[in-house]
Amino acid sequence: MKKAIYFLATMALFATLTACGGDDNNETPDITETIALPQMTAKTIIQGRSVYDHDFDASAVVNVSASTLTLNLNKVKFAEKMPEVNFSIADIPYKKSGNVLELSPTSTDAGSYKVTGLKGSIDADNKVYNITFRVNDMYDVILSGTFNCSKDYNTNSKFYTFSITNATNKNALRLGICNVKFVEGMPTLKEMAVYFKQEEGSSIVGTTTGYTFECAEVIPFYKEGNTETPMESRPMSNVKGTVDLVNRTFSIEFDCYGLHYTDKGTLYL
């Protein structure tokens, strides 16, 4: 009788352990990856008026298993008198398209802040970001990189790059025109770089959706490898351009060597 009771107790314990082991085997651990997002800019708009631009670094902690990510904004602020804060937005659904993370529309709480209408894209490899959201039903925020371009620039077709070297004060802008020629018999330029600096007479103005730039005259540079050579004989005059980070569009026009050049298009992401 004792042997029968001992046998039944042993079988019950074995069944319990097996059941527990089965539950553990069914649990899939979360797979996470942290992606650095350096050189990010937050543009804050209140009631349709651009009020503040702030540069900072960010990161995204990607939960691969759940297809969600947490966006961590490090020492960011959305107004001049606001202190720098660490601002995290969790559980943002995303879809991956190549190396680009497409963020699904999201509304959530970020600590004491209410975030609504978040959407956008992240290309961490090229440091191109396009994220918009609203904070506390008051602040409209545009997150972008200091670098933007008209397309994924691993291409042989014409494209443009726009790089703000100090987005907070809008001190300087680098425009790159790549894989372009202006007349039929002209060889294709791999890249022509143009630098607009406020201390040298250029105007770079922040708008509610991006910025505008213009200059009476500027000398472009021909870039070959890491070398940039000034094109003294090809000055650009009457230069005007816009970059719209919300609608992801740009425009450019200038006069050069007797030609009037205009172009416009959409920004990458």
Side-chain angles (χ1 to χ4, degrees):
M1 183 67 179
K2 289 182 179 180
K3 288 184 178 180
I5 294 173
Y6 177 77
F7 176 76
L8 291 174
T10 302
M11 291 302 294
L13 176 62
F14 177 76
T16 302
L17 292 174
T18 302
C20 292
D23 289 343
D24 289 341
N25 292 335
N26 288 333
E27 290 180 359
T28 303
D30 288 339
I31 300 173
T32 61
E33 176 186 2
T34 300
I35 302 174
L37 305 174
Q39 300 175 332
M40 189 176 276
T41 294
K43 175 184 284 292
T44 306
I45 300 148
I46 300 177
Q47 296 180 345
R49 183 172 61 89
S50 179
V51 295
Y52 193 66
D53 284 27
H54 185 69
D55 298 341
F56 62 100
D57 290 333
S59 66
V61 179
V62 180
N63 186 327
V64 179
S65 306
S67 294
T68 61
L69 63 83
T70 297
L71 189 62
N72 297 314
L73 313 183
N74 304 320
K75 295 183 178 180
V76 66
K77 60 181 185 176
F78 304 121
E80 180 64 42
K81 295 182 179 180
M82 173 183 174
E84 292 183 342
V85 297
N86 293 327
F87 191 83
S88 295
I89 308 172
D91 300 324
I92 305 170
Y94 76 89
K95 293 181 180 179
K96 191 169 184 180
S97 177
N99 292 325
V100 177
L101 302 179
E102 301 283 355
L103 309 185
S104 302
T106 306
S107 295
T108 185
D109 291 330
S112 60
Y113 300 96
K114 177 184 177 184
V115 173
T116 55
L118 185 146
K119 60 183 179 179
S121 305
I122 297 173
D123 181 348
D125 290 346
N126 293 326
K127 298 180 182 177
V128 181
Y129 323 120
N130 167 31
I131 303 169
T132 59
F133 56 88
R134 185 163 235 221
V135 179
N136 291 348
D137 293 323
M138 180 178 180
Y139 303 97
D140 291 304
V141 180
I142 306 168
L143 301 184
S144 65
T146 56
F147 175 86
N148 278 274
C149 54
S150 62
K151 62 176 62 179
D152 183 348
Y153 54 88
N154 296 314
T155 176
N156 290 321
S157 59
K158 181 179 66 175
F159 66 96
Y160 298 81
T161 65
F162 305 89
S163 181
I164 294 282
T165 56
N166 188 328
T168 300
N169 297 318
K170 294 292 183 299
N171 285 333
L173 166 73
R174 182 188 188 276
L175 166 67
I177 306 177
C178 307
N179 302 321
V180 66
K181 61 180 181 179
F182 301 108
V183 293
E184 187 59 37
M186 174 183 174
T188 300
L189 298 177
K190 189 65 179 175
E191 182 173 4
M192 187 174 76
V194 190
Y195 293 90
F196 301 94
K197 300 179 180 180
Q198 290 196 156
E199 70 269 20
E200 296 178 0
S202 296
S203 173
I204 305 166
V205 179
T207 67
T208 56
T209 58
Y211 48 88
T212 65
F213 58 95
E214 60 181 284
C215 185
E217 184 170 289
V218 64
I219 301 296
F221 291 77
Y222 171 63
K223 183 178 180 182
E224 187 171 15
N226 293 323
T227 303
E228 293 186 350
T229 306
M231 302 170 67
E232 301 281 358
S233 63
R234 297 288 189 272
M236 298 166 57
S237 59
N238 303 316
V239 186
K240 295 181 180 179
T242 63
V243 176
D244 187 327
L245 300 172
V246 173
N247 299 302
R248 307 303 296 170
T249 60
F250 73 92
S251 67
I252 178 73
E253 67 174 292
F254 58 85
D255 297 318
C256 183
Y257 212 63
L259 298 174
H260 184 67
Y261 181 82
T262 62
D263 205 353
K264 62 182 180 179
T266 57
L267 292 176
Y268 177 57
L269 295 186

